[in-house]
C-alpha cells in the first residue's frame, strides 16, 4: 500500500550558516558599534538568543536574522517561537527564539483531522513526530499532499519517504 510521511526537520547547517552571517553583519554595522547587540545560538537546546540595548535594537537584529534564515531555507522563520523580551542588567534586553523541530502533537492532530475531514480515501496516523499517510493509489496520496500544503501554511512541512 503506497504511503508517505509528513515531517518537519531543521536543517542545522543552514541555520548555523544564517546565524553566522547575521553575526558578521551585526559586528560590521556602524550603528551597532559600542552596543551590546549580539546573537548567540545554543545548538543543544535549539535556542537563539538576541541581545540588545533596547527593544528597537532587538527588532533591528531580527530584521537581519530572519531574512538570512529565509534565504538559506524558505519558511524557516515560521518555526521560531518568540519568547517574551526580558530585562537584563540595567537597561539591556534579551529575547529567546526557540527553534521548533519536528511536528508537535497539536499540529499532528490538526493534520490528521484535516485529512479525515477532507473525504479523501486515505488514512493518516501519528507516529511520534511524523504523520504517516496511507492510500490505495499514488494519485490519492498526491492529492493529499496538495491538500495539506494548501491548508497548513503556518508551519514548514516536508513530505518524504514516498513508497509504493
Amino acid at each position: 500500500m503506497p504511503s508517505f510521511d509528513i515531517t518537519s526537520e531543521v536543517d542545522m547547517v543552514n541555520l548555523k550558516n544564517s546565524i553566522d552571517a547575521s553575526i558578521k553583519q551585526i559586528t560590521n554595522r556602524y550603528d551597532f558599534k559600542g552596543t551590546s547587540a549580539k546573537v548567540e545560538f545554543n545548538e543543544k537546546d535549539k535556542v537563539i538568543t538576541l541581545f540588545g540595548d533596547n527593544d528597537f535594537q532587538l527588532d533591528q537584529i531580527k530584521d537581519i536574522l530572519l531574512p538570512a534564515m529565509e534565504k538559506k531555507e524558505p519558511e524557516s522563520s515560521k518555526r521560531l517561537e518568540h519568547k517574551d523580551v526580558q530585562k537584563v542588567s540595567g537597561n539591556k534586553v534579551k529575547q529567546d527564539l526557540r527553534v521548533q523541530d519536528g511536528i508537535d502533537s497539536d499540529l499532528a492532530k490538526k493534520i490528521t483531522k484535516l485529512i479525515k475531514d477532507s473525504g479523501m480515501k486515505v488514512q493518516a496516523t501519528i507516529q511520534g513526530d511524523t504523520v504517516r499517510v496511507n492510500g490505495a493509489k499514488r494519485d490519492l496520496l498526491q492529492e493529499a499532499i496538495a491538500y495539506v500544503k494548501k491548508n497548513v501554511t503556518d508551519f514548514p512541512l516536508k513530505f518524504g519517504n514516498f513508497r509504493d
Side-chain angles (χ1 to χ4, degrees), residues 4-8 111 115 131 133 141 144-150 152 156-162:
F4 71 89
D5 291 338
I6 302 173
T7 59
S8 181
I111 291 171
I115 291 173
V131 177
V133 180
L141 295 180
I145 290 173
Y147 187 73
V148 171
K149 276 185 183 178
K150 186 178 89 174
V152 180
L157 298 174
K158 294 180 182 175
F159 303 90
N161 203 12
F162 205 98

Side-chain angles (χ1 to χ4, degrees), residues 21-83:
S22 300
I23 290 171
K24 192 174 200 178
Q25 191 173 352
I26 288 168
T27 56
N28 291 335
R29 269 186 52 167
Y30 181 75
D31 56 341
F32 288 145
K33 296 280 187 218
T35 65
S36 64
K38 66 179 178 176
V39 177
E40 290 180 355
F41 180 51
N42 183 345
E43 194 172 345
K44 187 181 129 208
D45 297 333
K46 294 182 179 151
V47 175
I48 303 168
T49 307
L50 311 177
F51 295 93
D53 288 342
N54 50 37
D55 292 343
F56 177 71
Q57 201 171 57
L58 283 182
D59 290 338
Q60 286 181 318
I61 294 170
K62 284 186 217 168
D63 288 343
I64 294 170
L65 177 66
L66 298 182
M69 288 176 64
E70 290 290 326
K71 187 176 182 183
K72 296 283 184 183
E73 186 179 3
E75 295 188 333
S76 62
S77 64
K78 290 181 181 179
R79 70 174 66 248
L80 294 178
E81 181 184 327
H82 297 260
K83 301 288 186 184

